[in-house]
Amino acid sequence: MGLNVTPVREISPDTLLDRANALISTYKTASNPELIQQLPQAAAELGDLCPPPDPATGMHVLRGLNADDTALGATPPSWSDASPTRTAEWDVVLLLLASAMGRPFGWEGQQDGRLVHDIVPSRGHEHEQTGASSTVTLSAHNEDAFHHRRAHLMLLGCLRNPDRVATSAASVRHASLEDADVEALSAPVLPILPDDAYDEARDSPLEPPRVPTLWHGEDGLCLRFDPAYTPLEQAGADYRAAYGRLCRELDRVKVGVRLEPGDVLVIDNDAVVHGREPFRARYDGTDRWLKRVSVRLPGRDRPSAEAAEHGYGQQPIDPYEEG
């Protein structure tokens, strides 16, 4: 796996930090509904600070921010232990970046509906295919692939990464796929089941909808992919073979980015899958600590059949959605 993701976009943090701290001074935490309503206007006043990734690459790293290791304090033992005030500046910075690109949102069933998620290793979750794991490879996937209202973009902000754990990323547009494989994987053959981060959705009695793995978007080939939660044994041999070739191609073209404190990785969740290499968590307050924000791009189209999906009863929390 390569050690760098390109392009890297250098940003000047001063105006961004000034705006974030002005909002915090007034509203105290990033979860304050009044602050959240101020984000679109505040982001618009920042100008062209952070456009979405170029379709050809589907990802970039924003660099220029700084995460003060001492001021952060200890890495929390789980997302629920993260202080809403200790990292308020980082939370608001990420929300401003997200709002400059699109519309941040959360989920009813994940991290209490927060718009900014804390990604830290947690005891008892070491072997799961979720962000709380550590000792296993987190396999390549699209974020919340089981749901038709999943993010269009995802931001991963690095607060701490002392072991230089690599986040992997692979664009389907860099993969070499035969036309026959694209055609086979464009058929709605298998469902993608909710991952372990969504307990209620996993217990849903609703019939899992079958969804295509590949489709063509306005900017190129797109994918909906999460092999850890896809029951491949239910498909025929030809489909499984095509799916296997896609997996191998994504593995071939993946790159690894070892995020430094202050880096923000921006990923197009329709074109790029991401994962993480395994590491050994110490649970001593010094472990890897990322922040995650999901972003919707109003106006971006997906296959029309997705609109009929039930989402396993899981609802997004969109603070800007009317009604």
Side-chain angles (χ1 to χ4, degrees):
M1 177 165 39
L3 295 181
N4 295 292
V5 160
T6 53
V8 173
R9 296 182 178 175
E10 297 286 345
I11 62 172
S12 177
D14 294 343
T15 303
L16 178 61
L17 292 172
D18 287 346
R19 185 57 49 84
N21 284 305
L23 289 168
I24 294 166
S25 177
T26 302
Y27 300 108
K28 309 308 178 187
T29 71
S31 61
N32 188 313
E34 294 183 60
L35 180 148
I36 292 169
Q37 292 304 315
Q38 297 298 316
L39 289 171
Q41 180 60 37
E45 294 170 359
L46 294 173
D48 189 25
L49 179 65
C50 46
D54 183 273
T57 58
M59 53 189 162
H60 60 247
V61 172
L62 297 175
R63 184 163 289 159
L65 294 164
N66 178 58
D68 186 332
D69 192 75
T70 301
L72 288 175
T75 299
S78 72
W79 68 265
S80 59
D81 294 298
S83 167
T85 56
R86 181 149 50 98
T87 58
E89 181 182 71
W90 255 99
D91 290 350
V92 176
V93 162
L94 286 171
L95 288 174
L96 284 169
L97 292 173
S99 299
M101 299 182 218
R103 203 162 69 191
F105 71 98
W107 293 97
E108 282 185 353
Q110 193 172 32
Q111 298 206 11
D112 286 344
R114 300 175 188 179
L115 299 187
V116 183
H117 292 175
D118 288 274
I119 309 301
V120 296
S122 299
R123 290 189 188 276
H125 300 272
E126 290 86 350
H127 300 283
E128 292 179 354
Q129 284 294 308
T130 69
S133 69
S134 52
T135 59
V136 296
T137 298
L138 185 61
S139 61
H141 63 285
N142 298 112
E143 192 69 12
D144 300 317
F146 74 94
H147 205 284
H148 58 292
R149 296 186 67 186
R150 63 200 176 276
H152 294 115
L153 303 178
M154 186 186 69
L155 277 61
L156 287 175
C158 178
L159 302 189
R160 178 174 286 142
N161 191 17
D163 303 305
R164 305 192 73 243
V165 178
T167 299
S168 62
S171 172
V172 69
R173 295 169 190 171
H174 296 165
S176 296
L177 299 171
E178 298 292 338
D179 290 345
D181 286 341
V182 174
E183 181 178 3
L185 295 173
S186 297
V189 173
L190 294 173
I192 299 176
L193 304 176
D195 66 56
D196 289 336
Y198 294 91
D199 291 336
E200 290 186 10
R202 286 184 62 78
D203 293 335
S204 171
L206 298 170
E207 180 71 19
R210 299 183 181 192
V211 301
T213 299
L214 300 177
W215 83 93
H216 290 278
E218 291 183 4
D219 295 326
L221 191 63
C222 298
L223 79 170
R224 187 174 178 180
F225 183 81
D226 195 347
Y229 295 96
T230 300
L232 279 171
E233 70 280 359
Q234 297 178 11
D238 289 346
Y239 186 93
R240 294 199 307 271
Y243 197 96
R245 286 188 286 270
L246 171 62
C247 290
R248 290 190 291 275
E249 272 300 294
L250 292 173
D251 188 64
R252 182 182 68 83
V253 302
K254 73 181 177 185
V255 293
V257 56
R258 302 188 189 279
L259 292 169
E260 301 291 341
D263 286 351
V264 180
L265 177 61
V266 184
I267 291 175
D268 185 327
N269 196 44
D270 282 337
V272 175
V273 294
H274 68 282
R276 189 214 63 236
E277 69 181 10
F279 66 100
R280 183 173 295 280
R282 292 178 291 273
Y283 305 117
D284 62 355
T286 67
D287 284 320
R288 177 179 183 262
W289 186 3
L290 304 186
K291 295 273 188 176
R292 180 180 65 209
V293 180
S294 295
V295 182
R296 182 165 291 119
L297 300 179
R300 179 184 279 195
D301 291 331
R302 283 176 170 150
S304 58
E306 291 194 9
E309 293 180 26
H310 51 63
Y312 301 88
Q314 178 59 218
Q315 296 298 321
I317 296 176
D318 187 337
Y320 310 107
E321 190 170 55
E322 295 183 1

